[in-house]
Amino acid sequence: MPPVLAFGAWLKNAACLLDGRAAQWSPVHGDLGDPAACRALDASVRRLAAESPLPVAAVAHDLHPDFFSTRLALELAAAWGVPAVGVQHHHAHIGVTLADHGLEEPVVGLALDGVGLGTDGTAWGGELLWVAPEGWRRLGGLWPLHLPGGDVAAREPWRMAAAALHALGRGGEIEARLAPVVGAPAARGVQRMLAAQLNCPVTSSAGRWFDAAAGALGLSVRQAHEAEAAIALEALAAGWLEHAGVTPADGLVDPGALDRLDLRPLLARLLDGPGGAEAAAWFHVSLAGALADWAAAAARETGVRTVCLGGGCFFNAVLSARLAERLASHGLRVLRPRATNCGDAGLALGQAWVASRQLAFQTGTVPCA
């Protein structure tokens, strides 16, 4: 297949030129909020195109119209006279796994990360997908949580604990529970914000559910670094599971409703329980079981036997291992990226894979499995 040049994600940006099954990578440029990273991306994509033995046939980019990578892709596509293909973020995450394993068959994809723009304009991040070379569709997402204050909620897990209380119909408890942690004015303000739905966009993000769990257990109030709360939650769970087991919450979450996996019962247990390392372990094991059963139900409905995993949440070794084990118990083949970063640093490969397959079907040069 002719080469496709993909411009990567906003965070941990890297570009990728996919020529058939061979991928050429740029360095990781970092986050595109930094002008130096933007300049590095510009130089990298021009270099990859210049060094390609064949002319670039298409460029691939994220759906978000405001990303520098999107604007640059559109600019260069127009200059080079080639198509620019927008690829949904979580579709691309599953594309990474398919490309990494050289698969050309339909799969169920479970994409779990912090955020990516969905086709409906909302923030996705906990997605159940059907993906094939010829197309894809969203089967479902995690139960949505509100982001009180917008993007700031991703940096302050206590806000996600408040969002979980609101989602449980217990918004009236927010001030009393969280005032000792963040002060009465802040807790009261978020409680009112959620009640009025003021500056509270929704998200299906798995990363925000981890933040809510960490906030509910008092592990993190404000994050100094990305995924700090989730890492602390995983460390606590891993420490417990090294020496003891837990009984997962089988039956607490209904995996049969493919369109929405309702994780609220897990948060209710954390909010009302004793907390500590055992609670962190219980959350991981119960979440893995619910996600695996959800994906297995989708596999039965769509008639596929392979589940592909993608997204930054799969850096979590406890979640990944427990999820793979449970999926295998359903008789499913489980794949995740082997040689490629499962987070945003590897996203360009999935973008290029999706765009190359789209181009192949449009031109009638469909790849063979």
Side-chain angles (χ1 to χ4, degrees), residues 220-298:
S220 178
V221 178
R222 293 178 179 86
Q223 302 190 83
H225 307 287
E226 183 190 4
E228 184 177 14
I231 291 169
L233 187 70
E234 179 195 359
L236 203 60
W240 178 272
L241 292 169
E242 281 182 7
H243 308 291
V246 292
T247 302
D250 289 342
L252 196 59
V253 174
D254 177 12
L258 293 186
D259 60 330
R260 280 283 179 256
L261 186 66
D262 187 355
L263 300 179
R264 290 178 298 174
L266 302 187
L267 265 294
R269 182 77 66 88
L270 294 187
L271 287 161
D272 296 333
E278 184 176 6
W282 177 87
F283 176 76
H284 275 79
V285 173
S286 299
L287 176 62
L291 290 168
D293 293 350
W294 189 40

Side-chain angles (χ1 to χ4, degrees), residues 17 55 102 109 116 139 153 175 191 201 220 257 269 311:
L17 180 77
L139 302 174
E175 183 178 352
Q191 181 173 318
S220 178
R269 182 77 66 88

Side-chain angles (χ1 to χ4, degrees), residues 91-238:
H91 183 195
H93 271 311
I94 302 307
V96 171
T97 306
L98 288 163
D100 196 83
H101 288 269
L103 287 189
E104 301 289 345
E105 64 186 58
V107 301
V108 164
L110 191 58
L112 307 178
D113 66 359
V115 66
L117 182 65
T119 55
D120 59 0
T122 65
W124 291 4
E127 309 309 314
L128 186 65
L129 310 176
W130 177 87
V131 179
E134 65 270 24
W136 73 289
R137 66 180 185 271
R138 187 194 197 201
L139 302 174
L142 297 183
W143 189 274
L145 291 173
H146 287 90
L147 297 167
D151 289 345
V152 69
R155 300 190 294 274
E156 299 185 359
W158 74 269
R159 291 176 181 258
M160 296 314 303
L165 284 165
H166 176 79
L168 287 162
R170 296 165 55 178
E173 301 176 25
I174 291 171
E175 183 178 352
R177 280 179 171 267
L178 295 172
V181 179
V182 298
R188 187 182 309 123
V190 163
Q191 181 173 318
R192 290 174 176 172
M193 190 182 297
L194 285 161
Q197 294 299 286
L198 177 65
N199 191 20
C200 290
V202 297
T203 181
S204 58
S205 166
R208 300 295 77 79
W209 278 97
F210 273 100
D211 289 345
L217 293 177
L219 296 180
S220 178
V221 178
R222 293 178 179 86
Q223 302 190 83
H225 307 287
E226 183 190 4
E228 184 177 14
I231 291 169
L233 187 70
E234 179 195 359
L236 203 60

